[in-house]
Amino acid sequence: GAVVSQHPSRVICKSGTSVKIECRSLDFQATTMFWYRQFPKKSLMLMATSNEGSKATYEQGVEKDKFLINHASLTLSTLTVTSAHPEDSSFYICSARPLGQDTGELFFGEGSRLTVL
Amino acid sequence: GQNIDQPTEMTATEGAIVQINCTYQTSGFNGLFWYQQHAGEAPTFLSYNVLDGLEEKGRFSSFLSRSKGYSYLLLKELQMKDSASYLCAAVDSNYQLIWGAGTKLIIKP
């Protein structure tokens, strides 16, 4: 099956620093990738839709200047949390939809746990 | 290792009831999610169970048995719009989501 890899799986950083999370589709191309955030024992929340070669579409309430998304190729999307603060500590997960697949099935990365001290 | 099992595909009739099962093995357990995903769309949250028992929410109900490592999603009064994939995801001790592969539910008139 299709594989989506996220890196890093865990990251701890100091408040005020920026953190980049990568989402790669390993064996397929994806024009669209989704970024989610999940707080402990809470629902997975869609943050933004990443579109290859164009600007990401952000969900209401998500700061685009805070969460920078770059989808520079058909196999890589990155999420950068800028000037991270403790309230940004969360579990971030991406998913990708294979190019040309009509079913719309999404494949999820393993997730990245961010802890901001 | 950590593992989630759910059927690949199920077929049901409009107006009927269907139960989608999910078994899990995780390092620790902090709850289980069910998500619905329509083709071409991001998954949407359906339910979260952390205690044993049945949680009812309209036409959808979710059940959890922690001792058995088992959950099911029950859909009543099926509608054509319920045709979708249903994802089961368990939360391990590190609060990481362990995802099932999803169950594609096909509703026939």
Side-chain angles (χ1 to χ4, degrees), chain A residues 9-10 34 36 38 40-44 46 91 93 97 102-106 108-110 113, chain B residues 30 33 35 37-43 45 48 50 85 87 91 94-97 99 101 104:
Chain A
S9 59
R10 290 175 175 271
F34 301 94
Y36 306 86
Q38 184 192 26
K41 298 184 179 180
K42 299 293 184 183
S43 171
L44 201 69
L46 180 65
F91 184 69
I93 187 168
R97 179 154 59 95
D102 296 332
T103 62
E105 183 177 3
L106 289 176
F108 293 88
E110 309 94 328
R113 178 156 302 282
Chain B
N30 282 296
F33 288 94
Y35 289 90
Q37 181 194 4
H38 285 102
E41 298 179 11
F45 170 77
Y48 172 74
V50 65
S85 287
L87 303 169
V91 186
N94 295 315
Y95 290 98
Q96 292 194 7
L97 281 171
W99 292 89
K104 185 177 181 179

Side-chain angles (χ1 to χ4, degrees), chain B residues 7 17 25 33 35 40 42 51 55 63-64 81 85 92 94 102:
Chain B
I17 299 173
Q25 292 177 305
F33 288 94
Y35 289 90
L51 300 177
E55 297 268 352
F63 172 84
L64 176 68
K81 67 177 182 179
S85 287
D92 70 8
N94 295 315

Side-chain angles (χ1 to χ4, degrees), chain B residues 29-104:
Chain B
F29 179 73
N30 282 296
L32 186 138
F33 288 94
W34 282 97
Y35 289 90
Q36 180 192 61
Q37 181 194 4
H38 285 102
E41 298 179 11
T44 55
F45 170 77
L46 289 179
S47 67
Y48 172 74
N49 294 65
V50 65
L51 300 177
D52 285 352
L54 186 68
E55 297 268 352
E56 295 184 87
K57 192 183 295 184
R59 293 189 299 114
F60 293 4
S61 302
S62 56
F63 172 84
L64 176 68
S65 170
R66 294 177 65 133
S67 61
K68 295 182 179 179
Y70 167 68
S71 174
Y72 68 71
L73 180 69
L74 190 71
L75 293 78
K76 302 177 183 177
E77 302 170 16
L78 286 170
Q79 302 174 10
M80 296 304 293
K81 67 177 182 179
D82 296 330
S83 291
S85 287
Y86 291 86
L87 303 169
C88 170
V91 186
D92 70 8
S93 58
N94 295 315
Y95 290 98
Q96 292 194 7
L97 281 171
I98 311 301
W99 292 89
T103 298
K104 185 177 181 179

Side-chain angles (χ1 to χ4, degrees), chain A:
Chain A
V3 178
V4 175
S5 176
Q6 264 185 257
H7 177 81
S9 59
R10 290 175 175 271
V11 58
I12 300 172
C13 69
K14 293 181 179 180
S15 184
T17 60
S18 295
V19 175
K20 180 186 286 187
I21 302 170
E22 294 185 346
C23 179
R24 292 181 184 274
S25 54
L26 298 185
D27 52 2
F28 66 94
Q29 295 180 322
T31 55
T32 303
M33 292 185 176
F34 301 94
W35 286 97
Y36 306 86
R37 179 170 56 183
Q38 184 192 26
F39 294 104
K41 298 184 179 180
K42 299 293 184 183
S43 171
L44 201 69
M45 293 176 56
L46 180 65
M47 298 175 66
T49 301
S50 170
N51 303 297
E52 188 270 334
S54 64
K55 292 182 180 180
T57 304
Y58 290 81
E59 295 298 303
Q60 191 173 12
V62 179
E63 301 173 59
K64 56 184 67 177
D65 294 331
K66 171 79 172 177
F67 299 98
L68 300 179
I69 291 174
N70 187 339
H71 194 153
S73 78
L74 288 172
T75 58
L76 174 65
S77 175
T78 60
L79 168 68
T80 301
V81 182
T82 62
S83 187
H85 291 284
E87 57 266 30
D88 298 323
S89 297
S90 187
F91 184 69
Y92 295 87
I93 187 168
C94 72
S95 64
R97 179 154 59 95
L99 178 65
Q101 183 164 303
D102 296 332
T103 62
E105 183 177 3
L106 289 176
F107 297 93
F108 293 88
E110 309 94 328
S112 301
R113 178 156 302 282
L114 170 63
T115 302
V116 184
L117 303 176

